[in-house]
Amino acid sequence: MSAAVRALLLAAAITVAPLIAAAVQPDEILPDPDQEARARAITRELRCVVCQSESLDESNAEIARDLRLMVRERIVAGDDDAEVLDYVVDRYGEYVLFRPRFSLGNAALWLSGPAFLLLGGGLALAFIRRRARAPAPERAPLSPAEQARLEELLDD
């Protein structure tokens, strides 16, 4: 690989890396690597309430920082992952979960996609079957003038 290509790749990596890197600040990181790994896994599953399309781990919003610190406090207090998630959901609602839980309240949302897929497939199948059973349209025979014109065109 030429030096110019390497320099270009390095410049691209340096430019893009801050955009990809997590927003976790050094003062937020827990001293225990196992606890920090758990905190990172949990904050990747939680949505920033301001950014909406970023996880807490990626968001630079002030509320995201507060939530990351709250998650770490709960982990240090001895909560397991499910208890930490329940704690956050109790305060901010199920909206903060990137993967909402299946419950009776949101069963219609979970099941509507497959239901519409089955309904659409059934309608398409019925349409195709009805179309296959329909008789072919009858064609009227050519009039003598049309027959003469056709033969004239075919002779050319």
Side-chain angles (χ1 to χ4, degrees):
M1 193 181 312
S2 71
V5 173
R6 279 191 229 145
L8 184 62
L9 289 174
L10 179 62
I14 290 171
T15 305
V16 174
L19 301 174
I20 297 173
V24 177
Q25 302 298 312
D27 63 328
E28 297 175 30
I29 297 174
L30 295 172
D32 181 3
D34 291 335
Q35 287 181 335
E36 180 60 28
R38 283 181 51 214
R40 281 301 201 36
I42 292 170
T43 56
R44 281 187 205 107
E45 292 182 32
L46 295 171
R47 176 190 325 263
C48 176
V49 294
V50 174
C51 308
Q52 298 178 1
S53 64
E54 293 181 338
S55 69
L56 291 180
D57 206 39
E58 300 166 333
S59 176
N60 286 317
E62 194 62 36
I63 186 104
R65 176 182 164 75
D66 294 343
L67 287 170
R68 285 192 302 265
L69 290 172
M70 183 175 66
V71 165
R72 284 168 170 76
E73 287 173 8
R74 300 307 314 162
I75 288 173
V76 170
D79 289 357
D80 64 16
D81 294 359
E83 290 172 330
V84 173
L85 286 172
D86 289 342
Y87 184 83
V88 175
V89 169
D90 286 345
R91 277 143 190 79
Y92 294 94
E94 204 167 302
Y95 173 77
V96 297
L97 296 175
F98 269 122
R99 290 178 289 156
R101 300 169 179 150
F102 185 82
S103 66
L104 187 59
N106 62 17
L109 293 174
W110 278 99
L111 299 175
S112 63
F116 281 121
L117 180 67
L118 291 173
L119 178 66
L123 289 173
L125 183 64
F127 176 77
I128 291 169
R129 294 179 109 193
R130 187 172 354 127
R131 184 100 190 242
R133 282 185 278 169
E138 291 186 28
R139 297 184 185 185
L142 295 176
S143 68
E146 292 171 332
Q147 185 68 36
R149 175 75 178 139
L150 177 61
E151 292 198 17
E152 180 185 316
L153 289 172
L154 289 175
D155 287 340
D156 289 338

